[in-house]
Amino acid sequence: MTALTCPGCGSPRKLGQHLCWDCWDTLPNKVRNKLAVRDHLAVARVQLLRRQLAENVPLHEIEIHL
């Protein structure tokens, strides 16, 4: 079994989590709340998160506008 890694820092994360707990706690509350919503835009919000992480946007500066 391969370990899942956090795209924010490379440390282990659990299945079903977008980030490890430390990185998740670093995100602004507004972003965490939006990522926790499960609706028809949920996948798009996660894609925005991943795109910003790939662009090396600092976790505390990530924004989700969906």
Side-chain angles (χ1 to χ4, degrees):
M1 181 174 150
T2 57
L4 298 172
T5 57
C6 174
C9 67
S11 67
R13 68 176 173 91
K14 293 183 179 184
L15 183 64
Q17 293 178 332
H18 306 301
L19 303 167
C20 69
W21 285 112
D22 290 335
C23 288
W24 182 258
D25 287 342
T26 305
L27 290 173
N29 287 336
K30 192 175 188 180
V31 172
R32 287 197 313 249
N33 291 339
K34 286 186 177 190
L35 289 169
V37 175
R38 296 182 185 258
D39 62 6
H40 67 285
L41 295 174
V43 172
R45 285 190 288 270
V46 172
Q47 289 172 342
L48 287 172
L49 170 67
R50 296 262 178 180
R51 188 175 306 134
Q52 291 179 70
L53 290 170
E55 294 171 355
N56 294 315
V57 175
L59 290 167
H60 65 277
E61 293 179 12
I62 289 180
E63 296 180 354
I64 305 289
H65 296 289
L66 288 181

